[in-house]
Amino acid sequence: MENAILKFEKLLRENVNYFPEISKNVLEEKKTGKWSKKEILGHLVDSAVHNLVRFTEINYAEKPYRHRPYNQIDLVNLNQYQEMDIDELIQLWFVLNNQIVKIMKSVNEEALNYKIVLSDESVIDLRFLMTDYVEHLEHHINQIKS
């Protein structure tokens, strides 16, 4: 878990200052059927919101914890990230993820083993979900940077 946290912190540190340097045109450019880079960042905000809830709720919810999916496309559209001020969007992304880092650092070994039932009834643990969250974040950051 320590490696995932270090990677997470590095991703936040490097990109909170990088994202504001990307031109507005590049951030807002849309291709048919694809999110803009700005909307990808908005998707990362939605992901942070949902995972912040998951990472905290699992500690007091009935076990095994049932993972609730969300409609990613609808949320990006409803939250209107394409029209949002980029500095506010970056700040929102950073603050939410900084809180997730704090939670990840405070999770004990017992909690990392809590079972999570996915919508397809497969079972993972909190350690996998947290590590996968960092991988998901890195994947989308790379899309923004490309």
Side-chain angles (χ1 to χ4, degrees):
M1 185 48 63
E2 187 177 326
N3 287 340
I5 293 169
L6 290 172
K7 182 180 197 175
F8 192 4
E9 290 177 315
K10 184 177 185 221
L11 287 167
L12 294 178
R13 200 174 43 251
E14 287 176 352
N15 292 291
V16 72
N17 295 317
Y18 173 75
F19 291 155
E21 294 175 1
I22 304 172
S23 77
K24 182 177 177 174
N25 290 341
V26 169
L27 283 170
E28 294 182 353
E29 179 186 359
K30 297 240 343 157
K31 294 179 180 155
T32 307
K34 301 277 186 185
W35 284 333
S36 68
K37 294 177 185 301
K38 197 172 179 183
E39 287 171 319
I40 293 170
L41 186 56
H43 164 66
L44 290 176
V45 167
D46 293 335
S47 180
V49 167
H50 282 83
N51 282 288
L52 180 60
V53 169
R54 291 171 181 149
F55 297 163
T56 54
E57 197 174 62
I58 194 171
N59 291 286
Y60 60 81
E62 183 180 329
K63 309 291 184 292
Y65 182 79
R66 295 201 76 79
H67 180 277
R68 294 179 312 277
Y70 60 96
N71 189 316
Q72 300 172 14
I73 295 168
D74 283 347
L75 279 177
V76 167
N77 293 332
L78 288 166
N79 282 305
Q80 302 174 17
Y81 293 122
Q82 187 71 355
E83 290 76 35
M84 191 170 181
D85 177 80
I86 190 58
D87 293 327
E88 289 179 13
L89 184 57
I90 293 166
Q91 185 177 14
L92 182 59
W93 170 79
F94 182 75
V95 169
L96 285 167
N97 279 290
N98 210 37
Q99 182 62 25
I100 291 173
V101 167
K102 290 176 187 173
I103 289 167
M104 288 174 73
K105 285 180 171 182
S106 72
V107 173
N108 64 32
E109 197 62 33
E110 179 186 353
L112 288 171
N113 293 315
Y114 286 155
K115 298 301 176 209
I116 300 167
V117 180
L118 302 178
S119 56
D120 68 0
E121 297 303 317
S122 59
V123 179
I124 60 171
D125 59 21
L126 182 59
R127 178 187 325 275
F128 178 86
L129 189 63
M130 287 181 162
T131 303
D132 187 62
Y133 177 76
V134 176
E135 296 301 318
H136 172 260
L137 181 74
E138 182 179 41
H139 167 75
H140 286 302
I141 285 173
N142 288 337
Q143 285 181 317
I144 294 168
K145 292 172 112 171
S146 67

